[in-house]
Amino acid sequence: MSMAVRVRNSATEFSKRFFANRRIIIDKPAKMYNCKNEDMSIHTDIIAVVHDVPMKIIIRPIPPELNELKVQSLMDSIKPAKVSSVPPIDVLWIKGQRGGDYYYSFGGCHRFAAYQRLNMETIPAKIVKSTVSDLRTYLGASTPDLQ
């Protein structure tokens, strides 16, 4: 099975669980996060629900420029925490033309790198239902034909 098929299957499985448990997820977030309002994204500050999204389904098309000290500091904060003081990343959830699920993230590159280096399977994220048109805002002519 190709990597693209495995990622698509993982994304579809996450979406099924997301919708199957929607009532539970809305009523009770997966985790609590100790974040101040000024730490939140302007795109998701009204979204209270934080999901543990599998790292392997998140598409990050823009290579990050990382400050290694910042990544290390985040790793030090994430490792021992039971209640994270690290804000969740924003993830755009886009449905393809044939119903495929795609999860894109553009911000939070230091947080993403910290979770990745800690070999975490999931990352706290706020899911933003988006469209291909929204994605085109980020990627322009490089926007893929999402199926």
Side-chain angles (χ1 to χ4, degrees), residues 86-146:
V86 177
I89 65 169
D90 295 346
V91 173
L92 303 180
W93 171 37
I94 301 165
K95 275 283 196 197
Q97 296 171 1
R98 295 187 183 143
D101 295 297
Y102 299 89
Y103 298 90
Y104 279 84
S105 181
F106 294 93
C109 58
H110 291 92
R111 288 170 281 169
F112 190 87
Y115 277 86
Q116 199 169 41
R117 291 178 189 180
L118 289 168
N119 294 316
M120 305 291 272
E121 290 186 26
T122 62
I123 186 168
K126 291 187 174 188
I127 308 260
V128 180
K129 186 152 176 46
S130 302
T131 65
V132 173
S133 178
D134 296 333
L135 185 62
R136 196 169 289 113
T137 301
Y138 291 96
L139 298 178
S142 298
T143 304
D145 181 23
L146 302 179

Side-chain angles (χ1 to χ4, degrees), residues 42-70:
I42 62 167
H43 302 289
T44 60
D45 62 350
I46 61 168
I47 299 173
V49 181
V50 176
H51 304 277
D52 287 321
V53 178
M55 297 280 290
K56 65 184 177 183
I57 69 169
I58 297 174
I59 302 165
R60 297 187 59 86
I62 300 173
E65 290 191 23
L66 298 173
N67 174 327
E68 292 301 325
L69 293 174
K70 189 172 183 179

